[in-house]
Each structure stands twice: as C-alpha cells, then as structure tokens.
Amino acid sequence: MTNLSTVTIHRKDDAGVEDLVYLRSYRALKVALNDWRTFSSDTLGFNVVTPQHVTRSFKQYPFELDPPEHTAFRAAIDPFFKRPLTAPYAAEIARQVGAAVDHLLSADHVDVTPGFSLPLQSRTLTTLLAMPEAEADLWVTWGINVFGNLRHGDPPEQERADALVTYVTEQTDNPARYPGSLFDELSRLTIAGRPLSRDERLGVAHISFSGGRETLIALLTGIVALFAREPAAKEAIRRDPALAQSATEELLRVISPLRLLARTCPHGGDAGGVTVAPGQRLGMCYGRANRDPAVFADPDQVRLDRKPNPHLAFGSGPHACLGNAHARLVARTVLVELARRAKRIEILEAAPEAEAAPHDVQGLRFERLVVRAR
Amino acid sequence: MPTIRFREADGTIREGSAEGGSAMELALRLGVRGIEGQCGGSISCGTCHVHVPPDWIDRTGPASQAEIDMLEFEPGFGPASRLSCQIELTTALDGLTLDVANG
Ligand code: HEM
Ligand code: FES
C-alpha cells in the first residue's frame, strides 16, 4: 500500500535527477536507517542524492561501507572521536569558542556564516583532528561548500572539492608530521591485526573534513539567528546554562544540518510500504522526519526544553554520526558563552534559505545573515 | 540516600549514592564506562542505556514509550532496557545494580 504521507516518489521532472523514493516520515526513515541489509551504504559517492562532485577515487570510510566490514572499522576509529567527552578537550573548545565570541562582540558587524561559523568550525576541527590550530587558516580558504555534494555545484565548488582531496592526500602521505593527529593515528591503527590501506586512511580523513563542515556551520549560524530573533531564548540560557543541553538537541532537530542523504537497494525491498526495485535509490529526509507531527508536537515550534526529543539529526543505527560528541560540545559551548556575554544581537540583514526541494525544511537556516552583536 | 551500583561491560562495578537526580547523572559523576549522557537527559541520544534486573523493574518502572522509541534498534535492547537518564534516584532504589549496555 502506498502511503503518501510516508513516502513520496519523485519523477525525473520534479527532482531533476532521477526517480528517487524519498523517506519523509520519522518511522519509515528510522526503520530504513537501521535496515542496512535492504538499504545499503556500500557505494562510492552515491550516498548523496546528486553525486556530481565525486573527485575522489577512494571511498569515504566508514560512511560508504555496510556491516560487517563497517562494524570493525568503526569500532577501531571510535575512541579517537570520543575524545570530546573528556574535560581537557572541553576546555580547549571553550577557549576557541571564547575567542570567536570576542570577535563577534567587538567587530562593527559580522557576516555570520563566513565571519563566525566557518572560522569557528575550522578552529574546533583542529582540536578534533589534533592538528595545529594554524592549519585552520588554510581550511577556511576552502569556503563553505567544500563537500559540493549537498548543493548543486558550479566550477568554483569543484575546485574546492579538489583542494580537499589534495590536502588529505598530502597529509595522509606524511602522517608523522603532526604526532597524535588523526593522520598519525590512522597510520598506526590496525583492524583485526592489519594496518589500514592508504585508501582507507584517505577515506576517513576526507569525511572528517567534509562531513563536519557545512553541518556544524549551519548549526552555529542557527544559534546566532535564534538569539538575535528571540532575546528571551538567550536570557533563558543565561539564567540556566543547563538548558543548553536540551536546546542543542532542539536546534539540531529544527535546523537538521544534514537534511538529505541517499541509500541504494541492491536487492529491492519494502520502503515505508512502497515496493522498490533492485537498484532503486532512496532519499533519506532527516530534516522532514524531524518535523513529523506524529512524533513531535508543534513540529515547527522551537521549544528549548523539548523532552523527549528523539530527533534523527545525527541519523540512527550503524552510521549514526561519528562526530556527534564534538558537534554537540561545540554547540552547547557557543549557546552558553554567547548567552552569558552578548547583551544584544541585532540583525542587519537576513536572507532565510528558501524551501526549494521536497526534502527541505525551513527555520533558522540562512543564505546570508549579518548581525551587530554587543 | 540510595546507594546504586553500575556494572560495566567488562564486569567492573562502580558504586555511589545520590539524593535526587537521575541514575545517568550519578553515573557521569562516577565516570562509569559506557554511560555518556550526551543529550543531558533529553531522550535524544541513547548513550545512557542500562539493563535493570528483572526483580527491580517494579521499583524502577518499565521503559516509557519514548524510551522504547529511542532504544528499539540499539544493540542489546530488550525488556529490561531503560534510559538511565529517566531513572530518578529515590530511597526505594537503594541497593540496585544497573548493567551498562554499551562497552
Ligand atoms: C551538527 C553537525 C553534524 C550533523 C548534523 C551530522 C550529521 C550526520 C548524519 C545524519 C550522519 C549519518 C549518515 C547516514 O545515515 O549515513 C553522519 C555520519 C557521519 N558524520 Fe556527521 N554530522 C555532523 C558533524 C560531524 C562532524 C563534526 C564530524 C567530524 C568528523 C562528522 C563525521 C561523520 C562521519 C565520519 C559519519 C559516518 C559515520 C559512519 O558511517 O559510521 N560529522 N553525520
Ligand atoms: S542522556 Fe541522552 S537519552 Fe539519556
């Protein structure tokens, strides 16, 4: 039975790409994310809906693997990505967030995404990857859409995607340059007694740069936008910093930094009540599922104390985001620090992102946001 | 004040007491391995998954529908599963040992 509230099928004319089955309901998406046998991630470049920017010859690891290979691979790199749960790591992030907030409060005005979110994302990424902080100066020059996969691309995006491949290749081939860094760790890691291949090391590094970039940037810009639009939200977190935890989850739900990825059905199967043919690709609509009224009351409302809040912003199941501890820590730290220090954030210019495609969601997402903060 | 124990995946026991607050919060203070409590109790992360011994379920109460929704696809999910952030520490729970689901 086809249930259109669960699944929508778009013909070439609508989506402009190919016939895709879009999983938009919470339940259908969550079931599919956990059913890797039917909904495979084992591709090179096809886990995004419009893969026109695949400039790499290696997979993104462990993102483009299925269990059981995925399981062992992920378990091996997991401890490195759990470091954000430690106190020294949190202190380092607090320092980096403090410096970014200094700039936001002292500049006459700030174009938030390039002037605050991008540099802060890149600086905090040096902490996650255990690289010298000065490397961020180079990463920032790559611009916003390095991945190039999440939006329709033009040639400059292509060049930036190439710059990323060039960079991770150079670092992967010189792993001892920065002892303790991701590149160094990967060169010494073993899985079931064997070292990682060069492609595997390239693949982890590539997704570490691309997966955590536009996503965290969108979340950080959304935080500034929230405080600018609703001073009461800022005041509530200033009075009760513990509120930053549920607020982070609610912003993840409403913003859904990653709104859409894809899976492939090698053998066909059932997707939310729709029979799909072998080879069919599916659109996984994290953003839409996070607004499903069957799960979230008043789904378009931002409620900073929403509980329960079982959002799918980081996915679910075997591929649930490996960078989630880092992203959560950065977001919480920005919420608390900005609430504590900013008296007033004034919007000088705001161009909200338009809802263009069936997987899109609106709210706290901006093409451009310029503020004056004091 | 109730005294609660956490049994980590490798069998290590950590014990502590707290009046009020959740079992997850106590576990974080004790540094229990396998309890991360990343969402601070918003039922968003599932990183506080524990198993309650069968003879204690009537005192802790069973998992709510929201907890089941969060945990149903997690490895080790079963009838004894709870989110420890949703277990309020009261004197009725004195002597409880919770098994940590994740390694
Ligand atoms: C707010 C920020 C972020 C959001 C919303 C987000 C979202 C996601 C989502 C939805 C997935 C699941 C993909 C799937 O279902 O196939 C994912 C996977 C992943 N993310 Fe993130 N992400 C964020 C930040 C980061 C950061 C900072 C990193 C840092 C390295 C990162 C690295 C990864 C990796 C490696 C995977 C693949 C995990 C696997 O396949 O096992 N992400 N992310
Ligand atoms: S702490 Fe996140 S679900 Fe319990």
Side-chain angles (χ1 to χ4, degrees):
Chain A
M1 187 194 74
T2 303
N3 176 350
L4 285 179
S5 71
T6 301
V7 171
T8 37
I9 302 175
H10 290 273
R11 302 295 158 204
K12 280 194 172 61
D13 333 341
D14 310 329
V17 212
E18 66 179 79
D19 289 3
L20 232 65
V21 174
Y22 285 88
L23 296 183
R24 291 158 53 92
S25 93
Y26 182 88
R27 186 72 203 163
L29 177 60
K30 191 166 177 180
V31 168
L33 288 171
N34 282 278
D35 180 3
W36 51 267
R37 286 189 176 81
T38 309
F39 306 99
S40 172
S41 295
D42 188 354
T43 71
L44 200 164
F46 283 86
N47 294 352
V48 293
V49 164
T50 42
Q52 73 267 52
H53 285 300
V54 179
T55 55
R56 53 193 159 86
S57 56
F58 49 87
K59 282 186 176 182
Q60 286 184 323
Y61 289 89
F63 178 55
E64 295 176 328
L65 286 180
D66 284 339
E69 293 79 17
H70 175 272
T71 316
F73 200 101
R74 172 132 179 176
I77 59 174
D78 205 48
F80 190 83
F81 289 91
K82 286 273 165 74
R83 287 157 43 253
L85 298 170
T86 63
Y89 190 102
E92 184 59 13
I93 295 297
R95 186 187 64 71
Q96 292 173 320
V97 168
V101 170
D102 286 345
H103 169 67
L104 190 67
L105 297 180
S106 60
D108 176 66
H109 61 275
V110 173
D111 188 346
V112 178
T113 294
F116 175 77
S117 308
L118 169 62
L120 182 54
Q121 177 275 330
S122 290
R123 291 203 174 265
T124 55
L125 188 65
T126 63
T127 303
L128 181 61
L129 306 186
M131 298 283 282
E133 191 165 352
E135 287 291 294
D137 297 341
L138 171 65
W139 305 349
V140 163
T141 66
W142 296 336
I144 309 295
N145 295 317
V146 183
F147 212 174
N149 280 320
L150 302 181
R151 293 186 191 190
H152 291 275
D154 48 23
E157 286 183 19
Q158 180 71 56
E159 282 163 27
R160 292 199 292 257
D162 290 344
L164 175 56
V165 173
T166 307
Y167 181 82
V168 297
T169 305
E170 218 265 316
Q171 297 294 338
T172 295
D173 292 339
N174 296 281
R177 187 179 295 162
Y178 303 119
S181 71
L182 176 75
F183 299 98
D184 183 35
E185 295 289 327
L186 291 175
S187 75
R188 292 187 280 112
L189 202 67
T190 56
I191 297 177
R194 66 156 182 96
L196 271 61
S197 70
R198 182 168 179 267
D199 274 3
E200 287 171 333
R201 291 185 282 135
L202 287 168
V204 176
H206 193 274
I207 194 169
S208 296
F209 277 91
S210 52
R213 194 172 176 99
E214 288 171 56
T215 48
L216 189 51
I217 291 170
L219 188 60
L220 296 177
T221 298
I223 291 174
V224 178
L226 172 78
F227 282 179
R229 276 190 184 168
E230 295 181 39
K234 182 166 67 64
E235 188 51 25
I237 293 173
R238 190 189 64 77
R239 278 198 313 269
D240 177 13
L243 184 61
Q245 290 194 298
S246 57
T248 295
E249 304 307 321
E250 180 68 342
L251 290 171
L252 282 161
R253 182 187 72 82
V254 175
I255 295 170
S256 289
L258 191 49
R259 287 171 294 186
L260 179 68
L261 286 175
R263 293 287 193 273
T264 306
C265 285
H267 319 291
D270 174 286
V274 173
T275 302
V276 295
Q280 174 70 52
R281 291 210 310 140
L282 287 99
M284 312 303 258
C285 304
Y286 308 91
R288 287 304 335 159
N290 282 339
R291 302 288 182 100
D292 187 336
V295 180
F296 305 101
D298 296 326
D300 295 331
Q301 294 289 314
V302 180
R303 290 193 195 152
L304 298 186
D305 59 353
R306 190 184 287 270
K307 290 180 191 183
N309 191 350
H311 66 77
L312 298 174
F314 289 125
S316 174
H319 293 282
C321 181
L322 194 56
N324 80 84
H326 172 79
R328 280 179 158 124
L329 174 67
V330 174
R332 279 199 305 267
T333 310
V334 171
L335 280 167
V336 172
E337 185 74 359
L338 205 53
R340 188 172 70 80
R341 294 179 53 197
K343 290 196 176 56
R344 202 165 49 88
I345 303 176
E346 182 191 348
I347 296 184
L348 303 183
E349 205 187 316
E353 210 176 85
E355 193 164 327
H359 60 270
D360 275 356
V361 287
Q362 267 186 317
L364 296 178
R365 298 190 64 109
F366 292 84
E367 291 292 351
R368 186 170 153 83
L369 178 73
V370 183
V371 301
R372 174 172 293 137
R374 289 296 173 263
Chain B
M1 261 205 294
T3 297
I4 312 286
R5 286 180 203 86
F6 296 88
R7 189 181 299 120
E8 298 175 352
D10 68 356
T12 307
I13 303 262
R14 293 188 201 279
E15 182 182 298
S17 312
E19 189 69 76
S22 71
M24 177 275 282
E25 288 164 334
L26 176 61
L28 290 190
R29 280 202 294 281
L30 297 173
V32 174
R33 229 181 100 89
I35 302 280
E36 295 168 3
Q38 289 211 38
C39 73
S42 305
I43 315 193
S44 303
C45 71
T47 64
C48 64
H49 184 186
V50 293
H51 296 133
V52 177
D55 49 329
W56 281 84
I57 285 279
D58 52 339
R59 273 168 282 180
T60 60
S64 66
Q65 189 55 48
E67 289 174 66
I68 294 171
D69 289 346
M70 191 76 235
L71 289 172
E72 63 182 326
F73 296 113
E74 287 286 313
F77 173 68
S81 286
R82 290 285 318 260
L83 291 173
S84 60
C85 66
Q86 302 304 308
I87 300 177
E88 279 299 311
L89 296 182
T90 63
T91 48
L93 299 186
D94 188 44
L96 169 67
T97 300
L98 293 168
D99 281 294
V100 178
N102 300 322

